[in-house]
Amino acid sequence: MYNSKIIGIGKYVPDNVVTNQDLSKIMDTSDEWITERTGIKERRWVVEGSDDTTATMGVKAAKQAIERSGLNKDDIDFIIFATLSPDMYFPGPGVQVQHALDIKTVGALDVRNQCSGFIYALSVADNFIKTGMYKNILVIGSELHSHGLDKTTRGRGVSVIFGDGAGAVVVSREEDNSKGILSTHLHSQGEHAEELVVKAPGMGTRWVTDIIADNDENDDSYFPHMNGQFVFKNAVVRFSEVIMEGLIKNNLQKENIDMLIPHQANLRIAQFIQKKFGLTDDKVFNNIMRYGNTTAASIPLALCEAWEEGKINEGDTVVLAAFGSGFTWGSAIIKW
Ligand code: COA
C-alpha cells in the first residue's frame, strides 16, 4: 500500500467583487447583518457574458495546480471533479476538463457532495492511489453559484452567503507511509436532505414535460433553500466529531494540529470549532470574508491561499473538515 500526497495546488476566482453594500442595493439586507451573522464582507460573482463557467474555472485552477506539481498534463491518470453547479445537467464537468486540458483518454469522475464534495473527492483520490490503481490524480472543486441564486429579498437568507470560485490539487503516489494523506473520514445523514436543498429540476420525481408546461415564474424550487439555524447547529457538532475521529485514528492530540482548514460555511462556525479545539489564530485559516461560501471549492481555495502565504510547511499536520447539504460531512488528516 502507498500513501498519497498533495504535490500541486491552484486556484481561480472571477474578477468581479460583490460587496455587502452592493447587495444592499438589490435586496433588503445590510453589511451589518451579513458581517455579524456570517463574517462575509464580499464574494466573487461571475458577470453576465463572462467566459467563466464551473468547468472553465476548474480548468484554470487545475492548470496552476499541475504547473506547481512539476508534472506534465499527460502524467495525470485520473480526474475527479466536485461541484453542485455543473455547466450541464449531464455529463458532469470532469470530461470537460479532460477535453480542455487535452489529457489522453483518462477516466473522469464527478462527485456530488456539495460542501463536503472536495473531501469526498480527495478521499476517492487517496484510496485509488493507496491501492496502486493510479499514480497522479487531479482533484478539482469548482462552483458557479451566482447564476442560481434568488437575488431578491425572498432569497436573502441564502444568496448573501454563496460565491463563485475554484480550487484544485494534484494528488500523487507517496512511498513513505508517514507522509501525505494519513486518513479520510466520510459521513452522511439523508434524513436531513431537505434542510439544505435545490429541488429542481428533480427529473426523478417530475416529468420534464410537466416542468416545461408549468412554466411557473413563481416556482422557487430552482433556488437553494436552507434551514439556517438547523444547519448551523448540526454543523458545529459534526465538524467537531469528524475532526476528533481523524485525530483519534492517527493517535494525534488537538495540540498536534498545525493548520485547520475548515470548509468556509460561516465564520461563526469556524470560530466555534477553533475555540472548541483550543487553536490559536495562526492555526486556523479562513478566507470566507473575501469569497463567501464557495461549497466544493472552499477547501482547496483556502488551502491554496494558506500555502501561498507560507502558512503550511513540510511536516505540518494539516486538518481539513467539511459539513454541508445531504447532510454530508468529512475530514482529512494530512502530514504535509
Ligand atoms: N439580511 C437581512 N436580514 C436577513 C437576511 C439578510 N441577508 N437573511 C435573513 N434575514 C432575516 C430573516 O428574515 C429573519 O427575520 P425575522 O426575524 O424578521 O423573521 C432574521 O433575519 C433572522 O433569520 P435567521 O435565518 O433566523 O438568521 P440566523 O441568525 O440563523 O442567520 C444564517 C442566518 C444563514 C447566517 C445562519 O443560520 C447560518 O449561517 N447557518 C448555517 C449556514 C451554513 O453554514 N450553510 C452552509 C452549510 S455548508
Side-chain angles (χ1 to χ4, degrees):
M1 290 273 275
Y2 303 102
N3 255 18
S4 76
K5 193 175 186 328
I6 294 173
I7 62 162
I9 181 157
K11 68 173 199 299
Y12 175 80
V13 289
D15 295 334
N16 183 41
V17 176
V18 178
T19 64
N20 294 344
Q21 282 88 352
D22 293 333
L23 293 184
S24 69
K25 290 176 198 148
I26 57 171
M27 63 181 82
D28 183 9
T29 190
S30 64
D31 176 43
E32 192 189 4
W33 192 97
I34 301 170
T35 306
E36 191 184 302
R37 307 285 174 119
T38 71
I40 300 166
K41 298 300 284 182
E42 58 188 45
R43 73 286 293 141
R44 304 296 176 99
W45 279 358
V46 167
V47 286
E48 208 69 35
S50 157
D51 291 339
D52 286 337
T53 72
T54 296
T56 63
M57 291 194 296
V59 166
K60 286 178 184 164
K63 279 184 176 163
Q64 191 177 47
I66 294 171
E67 194 185 310
R68 287 173 170 175
S69 74
L71 298 180
N72 184 283
K73 68 171 175 66
D74 290 319
D75 297 322
I76 301 295
D77 46 20
F78 197 66
I79 298 163
I80 309 178
F81 201 124
T83 189
L84 64 68
S85 50
D87 293 6
M88 298 179 276
Y89 195 82
F90 76 79
V95 297
Q96 291 173 275
V97 173
Q98 180 275 328
H99 177 59
L101 292 181
D102 189 24
I103 305 176
K104 300 176 276 181
T105 54
V106 300
L109 174 72
D110 296 289
V111 167
R112 293 198 44 169
N113 287 85
Q114 298 72 245
C115 297
S116 310
F118 183 77
I119 299 278
Y120 269 74
L122 194 65
S123 180
V124 173
D126 177 45
N127 284 286
F128 271 149
I129 288 172
K130 277 199 166 91
T131 59
M133 184 162 175
Y134 296 117
K135 205 169 170 191
N136 303 305
I137 301 182
L138 177 61
V139 181
I140 301 168
S142 178
E143 303 285 2
L144 204 164
H145 283 300
S146 59
H147 286 178
L149 298 172
D150 178 357
K151 294 170 186 156
T152 67
T153 297
R154 180 180 68 173
R156 66 182 178 173
V158 175
S159 55
V160 301
I161 295 174
F162 292 98
D164 304 336
V169 296
V170 175
V171 187
S172 206
R173 183 188 287 178
E174 167 62 57
E175 313 251 341
D176 180 346
N177 280 347
S178 66
K179 287 186 187 159
I181 299 173
L182 303 181
S183 65
T184 55
H185 307 270
L186 308 176
H187 295 277
S188 72
Q189 191 177 18
E191 70 180 284
H192 300 316
E194 296 195 15
E195 303 294 350
L196 178 46
V197 66
V198 175
K199 286 194 175 171
M203 291 184 202
T205 53
R206 288 171 79 197
W207 292 87
V208 173
T209 42
D210 285 349
I211 297 171
I212 294 168
D214 286 352
N215 193 21
D216 177 5
E217 66 182 38
N218 294 315
D219 179 2
D220 66 355
S221 61
Y222 288 83
F223 294 125
H225 288 268
M226 176 170 71
N227 181 349
Q229 296 197 3
F230 188 75
V231 172
F232 194 104
K233 282 181 196 148
N234 279 267
V236 291
V237 172
R238 297 310 193 184
F239 264 110
S240 306
E241 277 178 12
V242 81
I243 293 169
M244 263 330 279
E245 185 183 349
L247 293 178
I248 290 167
K249 168 83 181 166
N250 295 287
N251 294 318
L252 295 168
Q253 311 292 321
K254 51 187 197 281
E255 294 73 23
N256 297 121
I257 299 175
D258 295 305
M259 179 54 76
L260 169 66
I261 312 268
H263 160 57
Q264 302 291 289
N266 181 322
L267 192 60
R268 308 292 159 242
I269 295 176
Q271 287 168 336
F272 181 94
I273 305 303
Q274 174 176 354
K275 200 165 165 205
K276 178 145 188 170
F277 283 84
L279 302 173
T280 48
D281 287 350
D282 58 324
K283 296 195 168 181
V284 183
F285 190 84
N286 291 301
N287 59 9
I288 190 170
M289 306 72 92
R290 285 177 286 120
Y291 300 127
N293 180 346
T294 58
T295 312
S298 99
I299 289 183
L301 198 50
L303 187 66
C304 185
E305 289 200 337
W307 178 81
E308 285 171 348
E309 290 174 25
K311 292 180 174 163
I312 298 178
N313 295 295
E314 189 154 358
D316 282 355
T317 298
V318 178
V319 176
L320 314 180
F323 174 88
S325 163
F327 292 150
T328 59
W329 61 100
S331 66
I333 312 292
I334 302 172
K335 192 60 140 178
W336 200 264

PDB file of all heavy atoms in Angstrom, residues 159-190:
ATOM      1  N   SER A 159     -28.746  33.798  -0.516  1.00  0.00           N
ATOM      2  CA  SER A 159     -27.943  34.351  -1.618  1.00  0.00           C
ATOM      3  C   SER A 159     -26.770  35.201  -1.153  1.00  0.00           C
ATOM      4  O   SER A 159     -25.766  35.311  -1.863  1.00  0.00           O
ATOM      5  CB  SER A 159     -28.831  35.150  -2.582  1.00  0.00           C
ATOM      6  OG  SER A 159     -29.538  36.136  -1.881  1.00  0.00           O
ATOM      7  N   VAL A 160     -26.857  35.791   0.040  1.00  0.00           N
ATOM      8  CA  VAL A 160     -25.734  36.626   0.511  1.00  0.00           C
ATOM      9  C   VAL A 160     -24.526  35.771   0.909  1.00  0.00           C
ATOM     10  O   VAL A 160     -23.414  36.287   1.047  1.00  0.00           O
ATOM     11  CB  VAL A 160     -26.147  37.529   1.706  1.00  0.00           C
ATOM     12  CG1 VAL A 160     -27.296  38.447   1.318  1.00  0.00           C
ATOM     13  CG2 VAL A 160     -26.503  36.718   2.942  1.00  0.00           C
ATOM     14  N   ILE A 161     -24.756  34.486   1.085  1.00  0.00           N
ATOM     15  CA  ILE A 161     -23.703  33.613   1.622  1.00  0.00           C
ATOM     16  C   ILE A 161     -22.777  33.047   0.538  1.00  0.00           C
ATOM     17  O   ILE A 161     -21.596  32.841   0.773  1.00  0.00           O
ATOM     18  CB  ILE A 161     -24.352  32.446   2.409  1.00  0.00           C
ATOM     19  CG1 ILE A 161     -25.092  32.993   3.629  1.00  0.00           C
ATOM     20  CG2 ILE A 161     -23.318  31.409   2.832  1.00  0.00           C
ATOM     21  CD1 ILE A 161     -25.881  31.941   4.382  1.00  0.00           C
ATOM     22  N   PHE A 162     -23.342  32.779  -0.666  1.00  0.00           N
ATOM     23  CA  PHE A 162     -22.594  31.973  -1.624  1.00  0.00           C
ATOM     24  C   PHE A 162     -21.817  32.783  -2.665  1.00  0.00           C
ATOM     25  O   PHE A 162     -22.276  33.825  -3.139  1.00  0.00           O
ATOM     26  CB  PHE A 162     -23.533  30.983  -2.322  1.00  0.00           C
ATOM     27  CG  PHE A 162     -24.027  29.925  -1.371  1.00  0.00           C
ATOM     28  CD1 PHE A 162     -25.271  30.017  -0.769  1.00  0.00           C
ATOM     29  CD2 PHE A 162     -23.215  28.845  -1.048  1.00  0.00           C
ATOM     30  CE1 PHE A 162     -25.712  29.057   0.127  1.00  0.00           C
ATOM     31  CE2 PHE A 162     -23.639  27.872  -0.151  1.00  0.00           C
ATOM     32  CZ  PHE A 162     -24.887  27.980   0.432  1.00  0.00           C
ATOM     33  N   GLY A 163     -20.627  32.250  -3.021  1.00  0.00           N
ATOM     34  CA  GLY A 163     -19.763  32.906  -4.003  1.00  0.00           C
ATOM     35  C   GLY A 163     -19.228  31.913  -5.015  1.00  0.00           C
ATOM     36  O   GLY A 163     -19.368  30.693  -4.858  1.00  0.00           O
ATOM     37  N   ASP A 164     -18.606  32.458  -6.072  1.00  0.00           N
ATOM     38  CA  ASP A 164     -18.070  31.633  -7.170  1.00  0.00           C
ATOM     39  C   ASP A 164     -16.553  31.489  -7.026  1.00  0.00           C
ATOM     40  O   ASP A 164     -15.875  32.409  -6.559  1.00  0.00           O
ATOM     41  CB  ASP A 164     -18.356  32.301  -8.521  1.00  0.00           C
ATOM     42  CG  ASP A 164     -19.844  32.590  -8.741  1.00  0.00           C
ATOM     43  OD1 ASP A 164     -20.675  31.915  -8.116  1.00  0.00           O
ATOM     44  OD2 ASP A 164     -20.154  33.496  -9.556  1.00  0.00           O
ATOM     45  N   GLY A 165     -16.029  30.363  -7.507  1.00  0.00           N
ATOM     46  CA  GLY A 165     -14.575  30.177  -7.493  1.00  0.00           C
ATOM     47  C   GLY A 165     -14.205  28.721  -7.675  1.00  0.00           C
ATOM     48  O   GLY A 165     -15.081  27.855  -7.778  1.00  0.00           O
ATOM     49  N   ALA A 166     -12.898  28.477  -7.730  1.00  0.00           N
ATOM     50  CA  ALA A 166     -12.419  27.112  -7.962  1.00  0.00           C
ATOM     51  C   ALA A 166     -11.074  26.887  -7.284  1.00  0.00           C
ATOM     52  O   ALA A 166     -10.282  27.811  -7.106  1.00  0.00           O
ATOM     53  CB  ALA A 166     -12.273  26.870  -9.464  1.00  0.00           C
ATOM     54  N   GLY A 167     -10.845  25.644  -6.915  1.00  0.00           N
ATOM     55  CA  GLY A 167      -9.538  25.237  -6.387  1.00  0.00           C
ATOM     56  C   GLY A 167      -9.234  23.839  -6.906  1.00  0.00           C
ATOM     57  O   GLY A 167     -10.147  23.097  -7.278  1.00  0.00           O
ATOM     58  N   ALA A 168      -7.955  23.510  -6.970  1.00  0.00           N
ATOM     59  CA  ALA A 168      -7.580  22.183  -7.485  1.00  0.00           C
ATOM     60  C   ALA A 168      -6.285  21.716  -6.842  1.00  0.00           C
ATOM     61  O   ALA A 168      -5.453  22.541  -6.439  1.00  0.00           O
ATOM     62  CB  ALA A 168      -7.406  22.246  -9.006  1.00  0.00           C
ATOM     63  N   VAL A 169      -6.139  20.408  -6.755  1.00  0.00           N
ATOM     64  CA  VAL A 169      -4.869  19.834  -6.274  1.00  0.00           C
ATOM     65  C   VAL A 169      -4.475  18.667  -7.171  1.00  0.00           C
ATOM     66  O   VAL A 169      -5.326  18.034  -7.794  1.00  0.00           O
ATOM     67  CB  VAL A 169      -4.954  19.327  -4.806  1.00  0.00           C
ATOM     68  CG1 VAL A 169      -5.206  20.465  -3.835  1.00  0.00           C
ATOM     69  CG2 VAL A 169      -6.010  18.236  -4.637  1.00  0.00           C
ATOM     70  N   VAL A 170      -3.177  18.416  -7.216  1.00  0.00           N
ATOM     71  CA  VAL A 170      -2.677  17.180  -7.824  1.00  0.00           C
ATOM     72  C   VAL A 170      -2.245  16.284  -6.676  1.00  0.00           C
ATOM     73  O   VAL A 170      -1.448  16.696  -5.819  1.00  0.00           O
ATOM     74  CB  VAL A 170      -1.481  17.452  -8.767  1.00  0.00           C
ATOM     75  CG1 VAL A 170      -0.909  16.127  -9.270  1.00  0.00           C
ATOM     76  CG2 VAL A 170      -1.915  18.340  -9.918  1.00  0.00           C
ATOM     77  N   VAL A 171      -2.831  15.110  -6.629  1.00  0.00           N
ATOM     78  CA  VAL A 171      -2.516  14.141  -5.576  1.00  0.00           C
ATOM     79  C   VAL A 171      -1.680  13.037  -6.211  1.00  0.00           C
ATOM     80  O   VAL A 171      -2.047  12.504  -7.271  1.00  0.00           O
ATOM     81  CB  VAL A 171      -3.809  13.551  -4.971  1.00  0.00           C
ATOM     82  CG1 VAL A 171      -3.483  12.689  -3.759  1.00  0.00           C
ATOM     83  CG2 VAL A 171      -4.773  14.649  -4.577  1.00  0.00           C
ATOM     84  N   SER A 172      -0.570  12.704  -5.557  1.00  0.00           N
ATOM     85  CA  SER A 172       0.380  11.811  -6.197  1.00  0.00           C
ATOM     86  C   SER A 172       0.844  10.699  -5.257  1.00  0.00           C
ATOM     87  O   SER A 172       0.765  10.849  -4.036  1.00  0.00           O
ATOM     88  CB  SER A 172       1.582  12.656  -6.624  1.00  0.00           C
ATOM     89  OG  SER A 172       2.219  12.068  -7.699  1.00  0.00           O
ATOM     90  N   ARG A 173       1.346   9.624  -5.840  1.00  0.00           N
ATOM     91  CA  ARG A 173       1.817   8.498  -5.023  1.00  0.00           C
ATOM     92  C   ARG A 173       2.983   8.910  -4.123  1.00  0.00           C
ATOM     93  O   ARG A 173       3.900   9.585  -4.567  1.00  0.00           O
ATOM     94  CB  ARG A 173       2.273   7.358  -5.947  1.00  0.00           C
ATOM     95  CG  ARG A 173       2.714   6.143  -5.183  1.00  0.00           C
ATOM     96  CD  ARG A 173       3.327   5.116  -6.102  1.00  0.00           C
ATOM     97  NE  ARG A 173       2.330   4.451  -6.921  1.00  0.00           N
ATOM     98  CZ  ARG A 173       2.637   3.520  -7.836  1.00  0.00           C
ATOM     99  NH1 ARG A 173       3.896   3.172  -8.050  1.00  0.00           N
ATOM    100  NH2 ARG A 173       1.690   2.952  -8.544  1.00  0.00           N
ATOM    101  N   GLU A 174       2.902   8.476  -2.850  1.00  0.00           N
ATOM    102  CA  GLU A 174       3.969   8.751  -1.881  1.00  0.00           C
ATOM    103  C   GLU A 174       4.376   7.406  -1.274  1.00  0.00           C
ATOM    104  O   GLU A 174       3.542   6.692  -0.729  1.00  0.00           O
ATOM    105  CB  GLU A 174       3.428   9.716  -0.803  1.00  0.00           C
ATOM    106  CG  GLU A 174       4.287   9.858   0.427  1.00  0.00           C
ATOM    107  CD  GLU A 174       5.664  10.423   0.135  1.00  0.00           C
ATOM    108  OE1 GLU A 174       5.742  11.518  -0.437  1.00  0.00           O
ATOM    109  OE2 GLU A 174       6.665   9.737   0.466  1.00  0.00           O
ATOM    110  N   GLU A 175       5.645   7.088  -1.391  1.00  0.00           N
ATOM    111  CA  GLU A 175       6.090   5.757  -0.944  1.00  0.00           C
ATOM    112  C   GLU A 175       6.284   5.707   0.574  1.00  0.00           C
ATOM    113  O   GLU A 175       6.211   4.640   1.170  1.00  0.00           O
ATOM    114  CB  GLU A 175       7.405   5.383  -1.647  1.00  0.00           C
ATOM    115  CG  GLU A 175       7.380   5.633  -3.151  1.00  0.00           C
ATOM    116  CD  GLU A 175       7.338   4.369  -3.993  1.00  0.00           C
ATOM    117  OE1 GLU A 175       7.673   3.316  -3.475  1.00  0.00           O
ATOM    118  OE2 GLU A 175       6.940   4.480  -5.190  1.00  0.00           O
ATOM    119  N   ASP A 176       6.522   6.893   1.197  1.00  0.00           N
ATOM    120  CA  ASP A 176       6.726   6.945   2.650  1.00  0.00           C
ATOM    121  C   ASP A 176       5.362   7.030   3.342  1.00  0.00           C
ATOM    122  O   ASP A 176       4.668   8.041   3.239  1.00  0.00           O
ATOM    123  CB  ASP A 176       7.592   8.175   2.968  1.00  0.00           C
ATOM    124  CG  ASP A 176       7.871   8.313   4.461  1.00  0.00           C
ATOM    125  OD1 ASP A 176       7.199   7.639   5.262  1.00  0.00           O
ATOM    126  OD2 ASP A 176       8.759   9.117   4.801  1.00  0.00           O
ATOM    127  N   ASN A 177       5.009   5.962   4.070  1.00  0.00           N
ATOM    128  CA  ASN A 177       3.666   5.902   4.664  1.00  0.00           C
ATOM    129  C   ASN A 177       3.432   6.866   5.822  1.00  0.00           C
ATOM    130  O   ASN A 177       2.305   7.001   6.302  1.00  0.00           O
ATOM    131  CB  ASN A 177       3.365   4.477   5.132  1.00  0.00           C
ATOM    132  CG  ASN A 177       2.947   3.603   3.961  1.00  0.00           C
ATOM    133  OD1 ASN A 177       2.656   4.121   2.872  1.00  0.00           O
ATOM    134  ND2 ASN A 177       2.952   2.300   4.155  1.00  0.00           N
ATOM    135  N   SER A 178       4.506   7.548   6.262  1.00  0.00           N
ATOM    136  CA  SER A 178       4.296   8.514   7.348  1.00  0.00           C
ATOM    137  C   SER A 178       3.988   9.904   6.793  1.00  0.00           C
ATOM    138  O   SER A 178       3.760  10.850   7.535  1.00  0.00           O
ATOM    139  CB  SER A 178       5.538   8.573   8.240  1.00  0.00           C
ATOM    140  OG  SER A 178       6.625   9.107   7.500  1.00  0.00           O
ATOM    141  N   LYS A 179       3.983  10.037   5.460  1.00  0.00           N
ATOM    142  CA  LYS A 179       3.752  11.352   4.828  1.00  0.00           C
ATOM    143  C   LYS A 179       2.472  11.341   3.994  1.00  0.00           C
ATOM    144  O   LYS A 179       2.047  10.293   3.536  1.00  0.00           O
ATOM    145  CB  LYS A 179       4.919  11.691   3.902  1.00  0.00           C
ATOM    146  CG  LYS A 179       6.193  12.065   4.596  1.00  0.00           C
ATOM    147  CD  LYS A 179       7.191  12.520   3.547  1.00  0.00           C
ATOM    148  CE  LYS A 179       8.554  12.755   4.153  1.00  0.00           C
ATOM    149  NZ  LYS A 179       9.595  12.692   3.131  1.00  0.00           N
ATOM    150  N   GLY A 180       1.957  12.541   3.738  1.00  0.00           N
ATOM    151  CA  GLY A 180       0.811  12.673   2.837  1.00  0.00           C
ATOM    152  C   GLY A 180      -0.513  12.538   3.570  1.00  0.00           C
ATOM    153  O   GLY A 180      -0.619  12.840   4.760  1.00  0.00           O
ATOM    154  N   ILE A 181      -1.534  12.073   2.834  1.00  0.00           N
ATOM    155  CA  ILE A 181      -2.870  11.946   3.423  1.00  0.00           C
ATOM    156  C   ILE A 181      -2.866  10.712   4.325  1.00  0.00           C
ATOM    157  O   ILE A 181      -2.692   9.585   3.851  1.00  0.00           O
ATOM    158  CB  ILE A 181      -3.943  11.850   2.318  1.00  0.00           C
ATOM    159  CG1 ILE A 181      -3.925  13.135   1.468  1.00  0.00           C
ATOM    160  CG2 ILE A 181      -5.328  11.621   2.941  1.00  0.00           C
ATOM    161  CD1 ILE A 181      -4.819  13.116   0.250  1.00  0.00           C
ATOM    162  N   LEU A 182      -3.029  10.941   5.623  1.00  0.00           N
ATOM    163  CA  LEU A 182      -2.954   9.830   6.582  1.00  0.00           C
ATOM    164  C   LEU A 182      -4.281   9.090   6.653  1.00  0.00           C
ATOM    165  O   LEU A 182      -4.318   7.866   6.750  1.00  0.00           O
ATOM    166  CB  LEU A 182      -2.559  10.353   7.968  1.00  0.00           C
ATOM    167  CG  LEU A 182      -1.232  11.138   8.042  1.00  0.00           C
ATOM    168  CD1 LEU A 182      -0.963  11.578   9.472  1.00  0.00           C
ATOM    169  CD2 LEU A 182      -0.072  10.301   7.512  1.00  0.00           C
ATOM    170  N   SER A 183      -5.379   9.845   6.631  1.00  0.00           N
ATOM    171  CA  SER A 183      -6.700   9.189   6.643  1.00  0.00           C
ATOM    172  C   SER A 183      -7.765  10.183   6.224  1.00  0.00           C
ATOM    173  O   SER A 183      -7.579  11.404   6.325  1.00  0.00           O
ATOM    174  CB  SER A 183      -7.027   8.644   8.035  1.00  0.00           C
ATOM    175  OG  SER A 183      -7.150   9.713   8.963  1.00  0.00           O
ATOM    176  N   THR A 184      -8.884   9.639   5.737  1.00  0.00           N
ATOM    177  CA  THR A 184     -10.058  10.470   5.435  1.00  0.00           C
ATOM    178  C   THR A 184     -11.266   9.805   6.085  1.00  0.00           C
ATOM    179  O   THR A 184     -11.285   8.587   6.277  1.00  0.00           O
ATOM    180  CB  THR A 184     -10.297  10.601   3.914  1.00  0.00           C
ATOM    181  OG1 THR A 184     -10.386   9.296   3.341  1.00  0.00           O
ATOM    182  CG2 THR A 184      -9.202  11.391   3.224  1.00  0.00           C
ATOM    183  N   HIS A 185     -12.279  10.613   6.398  1.00  0.00           N
ATOM    184  CA  HIS A 185     -13.435  10.118   7.153  1.00  0.00           C
ATOM    185  C   HIS A 185     -14.695  10.744   6.555  1.00  0.00           C
ATOM    186  O   HIS A 185     -14.781  11.976   6.482  1.00  0.00           O
ATOM    187  CB  HIS A 185     -13.282  10.504   8.624  1.00  0.00           C
ATOM    188  CG  HIS A 185     -11.952  10.072   9.175  1.00  0.00           C
ATOM    189  ND1 HIS A 185     -11.758   8.855   9.761  1.00  0.00           N
ATOM    190  CD2 HIS A 185     -10.732  10.679   9.144  1.00  0.00           C
ATOM    191  CE1 HIS A 185     -10.480   8.721  10.098  1.00  0.00           C
ATOM    192  NE2 HIS A 185      -9.830   9.817   9.726  1.00  0.00           N
ATOM    193  N   LEU A 186     -15.615   9.912   6.122  1.00  0.00           N
ATOM    194  CA  LEU A 186     -16.797  10.402   5.398  1.00  0.00           C
ATOM    195  C   LEU A 186     -18.088   9.965   6.093  1.00  0.00           C
ATOM    196  O   LEU A 186     -18.180   8.829   6.557  1.00  0.00           O
ATOM    197  CB  LEU A 186     -16.804   9.843   3.966  1.00  0.00           C
ATOM    198  CG  LEU A 186     -15.531  10.043   3.146  1.00  0.00           C
ATOM    199  CD1 LEU A 186     -15.664   9.356   1.788  1.00  0.00           C
ATOM    200  CD2 LEU A 186     -15.225  11.522   2.969  1.00  0.00           C
ATOM    201  N   HIS A 187     -19.073  10.868   6.115  1.00  0.00           N
ATOM    202  CA  HIS A 187     -20.363  10.541   6.757  1.00  0.00           C
ATOM    203  C   HIS A 187     -21.528  11.188   6.003  1.00  0.00           C
ATOM    204  O   HIS A 187     -21.351  12.180   5.296  1.00  0.00           O
ATOM    205  CB  HIS A 187     -20.387  11.059   8.199  1.00  0.00           C
ATOM    206  CG  HIS A 187     -19.389  10.383   9.077  1.00  0.00           C
ATOM    207  ND1 HIS A 187     -19.628   9.176   9.673  1.00  0.00           N
ATOM    208  CD2 HIS A 187     -18.131  10.742   9.427  1.00  0.00           C
ATOM    209  CE1 HIS A 187     -18.560   8.809  10.376  1.00  0.00           C
ATOM    210  NE2 HIS A 187     -17.637   9.741  10.236  1.00  0.00           N
ATOM    211  N   SER A 188     -22.718  10.631   6.237  1.00  0.00           N
ATOM    212  CA  SER A 188     -23.927  11.260   5.693  1.00  0.00           C
ATOM    213  C   SER A 188     -25.115  10.970   6.595  1.00  0.00           C
ATOM    214  O   SER A 188     -25.097  10.026   7.400  1.00  0.00           O
ATOM    215  CB  SER A 188     -24.223  10.735   4.279  1.00  0.00           C
ATOM    216  OG  SER A 188     -24.691   9.403   4.341  1.00  0.00           O
ATOM    217  N   GLN A 189     -26.151  11.808   6.460  1.00  0.00           N
ATOM    218  CA  GLN A 189     -27.391  11.619   7.218  1.00  0.00           C
ATOM    219  C   GLN A 189     -28.532  12.162   6.352  1.00  0.00           C
ATOM    220  O   GLN A 189     -28.936  13.318   6.461  1.00  0.00           O
ATOM    221  CB  GLN A 189     -27.310  12.380   8.563  1.00  0.00           C
ATOM    222  CG  GLN A 189     -28.419  12.031   9.514  1.00  0.00           C
ATOM    223  CD  GLN A 189     -28.255  12.742  10.855  1.00  0.00           C
ATOM    224  OE1 GLN A 189     -27.515  13.729  10.975  1.00  0.00           O
ATOM    225  NE2 GLN A 189     -28.953  12.262  11.866  1.00  0.00           N
ATOM    226  N   GLY A 190     -29.042  11.283   5.477  1.00  0.00           N
ATOM    227  CA  GLY A 190     -30.009  11.695   4.463  1.00  0.00           C
ATOM    228  C   GLY A 190     -31.360  12.127   4.987  1.00  0.00           C
ATOM    229  O   GLY A 190     -32.128  12.754   4.264  1.00  0.00           O
TER     230      GLY A 190
END
